[in-house]
Amino acid sequence: MTTAVGLYAASWAARARGGAGLGRGLGLAGLAVLGGGAALGGHLAYRQGAGANKAEPVPHLVEPGWHDLGPAADFPLGEGVRRTVGEVPVLVVREADELFRVLADRCSHASGPLSQGEVADGRVTCPWHGSEFRLADGWNVGGPATAPQPCFTTRTDADGTLQVRLPDAGRPRGLRIPAPCQEPSTTAENFVIDVTRIREEAAGRGRAGR
């Protein structure tokens, strides 16, 4: 685009100085560059799907609410495990006894299986093209991927079952606002305690402001 604009500007300057032939040639060169760029961009976008976000449908396929993934004790430390939430495959990584990370399993670049990739240093690397994603929030930090992975909130219920929830699941495309995943793996008991503490703190601030 910049090259085409430069050629058109040069064409205008040449015509202003009376160089009609040169101006016409520069104008045609600008048109050729612009058309070639459009053809190349269309081929990459519509034929090869370059730059497309293959994880975009995930929030529209996952039902709102919490979903069971199985006993938390069944997940090994530091290894990627594939599970499904409805029809959506997810990557589960247990980073510590009570710390789980869950991302959409299909890479946003070309739908590669992240559960078959390398997990190291808080990241997962796609085995197909080398895109890297942070486990904590799904953000793309390397490779050809241009979009982050949908990131699930996690918790462990009183029975020791790992549960996940996608914060922006079910929202219409035009209204969906990407929501970051929260710190995972609180037990149901701790969750109740946290809510009670928040309410008490809010009540205390209200009394202090009177």
Side-chain angles (χ1 to χ4, degrees):
M1 176 64 74
T2 302
T3 301
V5 170
L7 288 169
Y8 280 127
S11 172
W12 176 84
R15 292 169 190 266
R17 291 195 299 267
L22 177 60
R24 188 180 300 111
L26 290 171
L28 290 174
L31 178 62
V33 170
L34 193 62
L40 178 60
H43 176 74
L44 291 173
Y46 296 105
R47 182 69 175 179
Q48 296 188 354
N53 180 8
K54 300 299 173 47
E56 174 65 24
V58 170
H60 316 295
L61 298 175
V62 175
E63 293 293 330
W66 292 98
H67 306 269
D68 293 349
L69 291 185
D74 289 352
F75 295 93
L77 285 172
E79 297 181 17
V81 177
R82 186 180 185 273
R83 291 288 186 270
T84 56
V85 175
E87 60 183 281
V88 176
V90 296
L91 162 72
V92 183
V93 178
R94 184 179 188 176
E95 289 194 315
D97 287 342
E98 293 296 329
L99 182 59
F100 293 85
R101 307 295 193 185
V102 180
L103 306 177
D105 187 45
R106 292 183 180 137
C107 177
S108 62
H109 171 239
S111 298
L114 297 183
S115 55
Q116 297 179 21
E118 180 183 0
V119 175
D121 300 324
R123 301 178 181 184
V124 59
T125 302
C126 179
W128 284 8
H129 303 105
S131 294
E132 294 184 29
F133 302 92
R134 264 198 316 250
L135 293 172
D137 55 12
W139 197 254
N140 50 307
V141 294
T146 59
Q149 290 296 111
C151 182
F152 291 73
T153 302
T154 71
R155 71 179 184 185
T156 305
D157 69 8
D159 296 326
T161 300
L162 178 63
Q163 299 178 325
V164 296
R165 178 178 67 88
L166 189 63
D168 55 353
R171 294 183 185 176
R173 288 180 183 268
L175 300 177
R176 187 170 66 85
I177 301 174
C181 47
Q182 305 166 3
E183 269 305 307
S185 295
T186 56
T187 63
E189 180 180 359
N190 288 338
F191 179 76
V192 173
I193 292 174
D194 287 343
V195 171
T196 303
R197 177 177 55 80
I198 292 171
R199 289 176 177 171
E200 290 175 349
E201 291 177 354
R205 286 194 296 269
R207 288 192 296 270
R210 293 175 184 173

